[in-house]
Amino acid sequence: MPNPVRVAVLVSGGGSNLEALLKAKAAGELPRVEFVRVVSSKPGVFALERAKQYGVPFVVVERQAFADEERFQRALEGALVEVKVDVICLAGYLRRLDRRLIERYRGRILNIHPALLPKFGGAGLYGHRVHEAVLASGEAESGCTVHLVDEEYDHGPVLAQARVPVLKNDTPEQLAARVLEQEHRLYPKTLRQFTEKLV
Ligand code: GRF
């Protein structure tokens, strides 16, 4: 694996996890990582402002700009290959990656999920739906998971988890905020450990 490790971050929204990663890099906590590109599936999202603020080049690759899913997926792949990406971090990316992309980067795509996988993962479980499901289940704790991406949603090997308590009378928003605080610590820490181990 080359040094530095060239990382792309894929986003679709606010990008608070993106910012946690970029902040960690600025603080010297990701010595082996170079963030080479941010790719957004949506134009105008705040994540792009954060990329700008930290001086990381960004590009929008949105499904609507392409005639079909295949062309969209190849454009996404092109946007990664073009800048010689080694590792991909999904940070609130809301589109599916196709088999070809997953195969090409197998074992080098990380995702963060706002629950303790394998619980509360899978198609349809994203955003506040995750926290609503946790509260409805009566679980005493929740948390977040960084895992490797494979062909199934929220399924690949777990790299790290952080736990938070579920408090009596929690709203989904309160639980989400408590989990998000942990996400912002866990993702940079896990990316550091992951890149340190790459050979
Ligand atoms: C986070 O909760 C993350 O776990 C999930 O999507 C959310 C993204 O938030 N995959 P942000 O865009 O990083 O603020």
Side-chain angles (χ1 to χ4, degrees), residues 128-193:
H128 275 200
R129 296 184 194 188
V130 177
H131 305 295
E132 280 157 14
V134 171
L135 292 178
S137 75
E139 292 275 331
E141 60 176 10
S142 188
C144 50
T145 303
V146 177
H147 66 96
L148 291 176
V149 170
D150 67 10
E151 284 80 355
E152 279 177 62
Y153 277 114
D154 303 324
H155 176 264
V158 169
L159 297 177
Q161 291 186 313
R163 290 164 187 274
V164 302
V166 174
L167 304 181
K168 206 173 147 213
N169 302 325
D170 256 350
T171 63
E173 291 74 22
Q174 287 168 329
L175 179 57
R178 197 173 307 122
V179 171
L180 200 57
E181 206 182 310
Q182 292 305 316
E183 292 185 41
H184 297 160
R185 292 172 200 212
L186 189 70
Y187 212 175
K189 193 173 121 190
T190 309
L191 180 62
R192 179 183 181 139
Q193 289 166 352

Side-chain angles (χ1 to χ4, degrees), residues 77-102:
E77 188 175 355
L80 299 167
V81 173
E82 185 175 83
V83 291
K84 300 188 164 58
V85 165
D86 300 309
V87 169
I88 299 168
C89 289
L90 306 184
Y93 186 71
L94 290 177
R95 293 207 70 96
R96 181 184 67 79
L97 301 180
D98 80 346
R99 283 179 177 279
R100 182 165 144 179
L101 192 76
I102 292 170

Side-chain angles (χ1 to χ4, degrees), residues 14-17 92 112-114 180 183:
S16 69
N17 278 288
I112 186 152
H113 183 78
L180 200 57
E183 292 185 41

